[in-house]
Structure formats: C-alpha cells, structure tokens
Amino acid sequence: MMLLGKTIIVTGSASGIGARTAELCAQLGADVIGVDRREGGPSLSGFIRGDLSSQAGIDAIVGQFPQRIDALCNVAGLSGAPGAAPTVAVNFYGLRGLSEATATHIRPGGAIVNVASIAGYGWRANLSRAKSMVAVTGFPDVAAVLKDHNVAEAEGYPLSKELLLLWTQLAAHQPRFRQNGVRVISVSPGPVETPILGQFRQVFGDKRVDDDIAAAGRAGTPADIAPVIAFLCSDGARWINGTNIAADGGLEAAVNAQALGF
Ligand SMILES: NC(=O)c1ccc[n+]([C@@H]2O[C@H](COP(=O)([O-])OP(=O)(O)OC[C@H]3O[C@@H](n4cnc5c(N)ncnc54)[C@H](O)[C@@H]3O)[C@@H](O)[C@H]2O)c1
C-alpha cells in the first residue's frame, strides 16, 4: 500500500497509460480523481470531465479539485494527428497551466509527474527554440506562437515533448513548486500499445514506429509505465526531482548510441 492515504489526480484517466496509472494508484491505497475530456476508464474515487486545451477548461477542472492533494499525474495527451497547435496546446501549455494552477493544492513532499516521450529526445538539439517557447507565459495563442517559431505541422508532437522535458527541469527550481516542496519529474515511455500508437503510425509512419519497437525489444503496455509513475508519486521517490526517467525497454540507450556514436 505504497500510496495509502494519498490523494492523486490523474489526467488522461479514460484510456491507455492514464487509465492503468489511475487504477494502479487506487490499488496501492490512494484516493484517485481522474480527469479526461471523455468518460471511461476504471471506477475511481472521483472523476472530472474537462478539457485541458484552454485556460477556461483548466480553471473549470481545478475549481473541482480538493483543497489538498499529494500528486498530479499529467498523462493526457494528443498524438499530433489533430494538428500541431491543438497538440502543443494540450501536451505543453495546458499541462503547464494545470500544474501551475494546482501547485498550491499540493502538500509538501508531493509531486507533479509529467508523461513526456522519447519523441522529445531533440530538446537539447533544439534548445534555443524550446527556451523561447517555454518563456511564453500563460496560455498563449498557440497557433501564433508556432508561427513565430517557424514550427512545421509535423513537428507538433515531438516539439510538445521537447518543451515538456525542458520545462520539467526548470519548474523543479521555480519557487512556485520548490518553495512548496513539490517535486516535478517526467517519465518518457517508448512505444506503448494504446489507441495513440495507431495515430503515431499515421503521423510518423510505420517504419519509425516499428524501428522503435525493435530497438525496445517489444512494444510496451500501460502496465509497463504505470508502476513508474506510481513510484514517483510515493515517498520513496522523495529525492527524485527535476529529472526524466525513461521507461522504454532501452530505446533511449540505443538512440544515444546512434546519435553520439558509441
Ligand atoms: N502510447 C505511446 O506509445 C506513448 C509513447 C510515449 C508517450 N506517450 C504519452 O503518454 C500519454 C498518454 O497516452 P496514451 O498512450 O495513454 O494515449 P490514449 O490516447 O490512450 O490516452 C490519452 C487520453 O488523454 C485524453 N485527452 C486528450 N486530450 C485531452 C484534453 N484536451 N483534455 C482532457 N483529456 C484529454 C484522451 O481523452 C485520452 O483518454 C500521452 O501524453 C502520450 O503523449 C504515449
């Protein structure tokens, strides 16, 4: 009962990784409140139907949160198939807005766990663009921000995760989180068998997805990712902060070997 007595919010709880994370956190003793734009997923202590793609949507969701929570798991995301602007809006600016609005609800020692992706691997190579886009505060006109930064339509998904990986490291040191004793961490899955994987095949092509699955040894399942998120919410992870944990069967190691030549 690693999470006994904790109150944990899980976004994206209606499907895939979020559904399994919510279910597992509840099995480990937490009161879990799911958030999703559609119904579904496991039966939980609470469920808030809401949309993370606008500030108004975020405000409506946070207004229903309990006064004190222990962890926010930011799992909801889009594949890129709906377009770059909606994808960056949900995967980065919406996630950040929800996290910022939730910070004061989180108890000291609590955590914000962001589901990023191996797809965000390019954050260092594209650092100046990522810095500039993360520096845009609030919930911006995302289409205008993408235009200002010359972002191609196909870059929406990887870019959203590059921004998230950079922001996770920045947020861990921001007073808003740090002074409240809130850890901010990311988890980067490799390819995982969920409905989004079919969309990745459309966006990135079968070859890219199949190559990633081959490098990882097999496709993952939500059950490969949920325990990592649950652990990061627990007190056992109390000194893990501002970092990224790959849960990808070794895919990042293979990408490093290729990119860095070892
Ligand atoms: N499956 C993979 O291969 C893989 C790999 C790396 C990272 N990820 C990341 O894992 C996370 C979860 O993906 P998944 O594989 O479980 O996909 P999924 O499609 O099964 O689940 C995503 C959930 O997010 C919800 N959602 C989307 N937009 C929303 C919005 N605006 N407001 C509220 N809820 C919204 C959806 O309704 C859905 O229930 C995503 O952030 C994704 O980028 C997935």
Side-chain angles (χ1 to χ4, degrees):
M1 297 298 260
M2 182 169 78
L3 301 175
L4 189 65
K6 294 193 186 296
T7 300
I8 298 182
I9 310 280
V10 179
T11 73
S13 64
S15 178
I17 297 169
R20 182 61 193 131
T21 298
E23 186 179 51
L24 180 64
C25 289
Q27 287 165 349
L28 292 172
D31 285 329
V32 179
I33 300 170
V35 175
D36 208 294
R37 64 179 172 172
R38 60 192 177 82
E39 307 277 342
S43 97
L44 300 167
S45 303
F47 175 74
I48 299 168
R49 189 169 180 168
D51 193 326
L52 295 163
S53 66
S54 71
Q55 189 61 52
I58 290 166
D59 292 344
I61 292 167
V62 176
Q64 297 175 67
F65 281 178
Q67 212 37 49
R68 305 303 291 164
I69 64 175
D70 292 282
L72 168 65
C73 302
N74 284 312
V75 190
L78 295 175
S79 65
T87 301
V88 174
V90 173
N91 294 11
F92 179 63
Y93 291 110
L95 181 156
R96 183 182 69 176
L98 183 73
S99 303
E100 290 179 351
T102 307
T104 54
H105 291 252
I106 303 180
R107 290 193 181 95
I112 294 176
V113 183
N114 300 319
V115 176
S117 173
I118 183 69
Y121 183 84
W123 72 268
R124 286 185 188 82
N126 299 322
L127 184 59
S128 60
R129 179 179 70 176
K131 275 168 69 177
S132 172
M133 293 182 73
V134 169
V136 177
T137 54
F139 206 120
D141 175 343
V142 178
V145 174
L146 296 183
K147 194 155 175 261
D148 288 350
H149 291 83
N150 297 315
V151 174
E153 196 53 26
E155 289 181 283
Y157 183 78
L159 169 70
S160 71
K161 300 300 188 180
E162 290 171 17
L163 302 181
L164 183 54
L165 287 165
L166 176 63
W167 177 75
T168 297
Q169 296 168 77
L170 288 167
H173 292 282
Q174 282 171 355
R176 184 198 302 269
F177 301 105
R178 185 147 207 151
Q179 278 172 6
N180 290 332
V182 177
R183 299 173 289 120
V184 190
I185 310 141
S186 58
V187 174
S188 285
V192 178
E193 291 289 0
T194 72
I196 227 178
L197 196 60
Q199 293 180 22
F200 287 152
R201 288 186 178 280
Q202 286 168 18
V203 177
F204 302 116
D206 283 334
K207 181 173 175 355
R208 166 73 196 275
V209 173
D210 290 337
D211 286 353
D212 282 358
I213 291 172
R218 62 170 170 81
T221 70
D224 293 315
I225 312 301
V228 182
I229 301 173
F231 166 66
L232 292 171
C233 293
S234 79
D235 296 337
R238 64 186 168 228
W239 219 37
I240 300 180
N241 192 13
T243 196
N244 178 59
I245 311 283
D248 63 5
L251 176 55
E252 185 176 345
V255 175
N256 276 334
Q258 200 171 34
L260 303 174
F262 61 81

